[in-house]
Amino acid sequence: MTSYDRRDLGLLLLRLGTGGVLAAHGAQKLLGWFGGHGLEGTGQYFESIGYAPGKESAAAAGLAEAGGGTLLALGLATPAAGAAAAGAMAGAAAVHTPNGFFAQGGGYEYAASLGLTAAGLAVAGPGRLSLDHALGHAVNRNWMVPAAFAATGLATALVVGARNRRLRKREQQGEQEALFEETFDE
């Protein structure tokens, strides 16, 4: 086996592993599979952590994970698939960042690992053992990598920024409400 063949096999393994995990996470959100809560339950959770509207945010995250993961596993539209999955994981990392880095403490380690692997696959390409290769790379052109990351980066920055503004507003309202709810016993 030549080093080129090993590279293709390595990319296939990375795509299948990362894509499979992402697709399963998306299926939890969208369909309630694998112990997930489906759109209703995930939407309520998303609303509680500042992603609003919750159900639509859960659907977008679920589609980015399930769709991006499935496409990564297949090696199809790799730049868009990897960028979409990385964007979804950036949104997840934003939720976990206050808990530090390590996953055991609720940190963003896991989301960062999945996101960086998806991004790396988008940049490196799928290898020869992929649908992109079989289809002549029609949806895996070099120019698509920066375009996919630019679009995903912009969308992710807008969504996470809006979430952060919502959370700050909640905090401020919570502090104000606490001031007005105090009662004084005389």
Side-chain angles (χ1 to χ4, degrees), residues 93-147:
V95 172
H96 295 281
T97 295
N99 300 322
F101 178 70
F102 292 104
Q104 85 183 51
Y108 63 93
E109 169 187 23
Y110 187 61
S113 295
L114 284 174
L116 288 169
T117 304
L121 287 166
V123 172
R128 290 187 305 170
L129 302 172
S130 66
L131 288 180
D132 274 338
H133 180 75
L135 299 173
H137 297 280
V139 287
N140 179 37
R141 304 281 185 210
N142 285 337
W143 65 266
M144 293 175 182
V145 175

Side-chain angles (χ1 to χ4, degrees), residues 58-83:
L63 287 170
E65 291 173 5
T70 299
L71 290 173
L72 275 177
L74 296 171
L76 181 62
T78 304

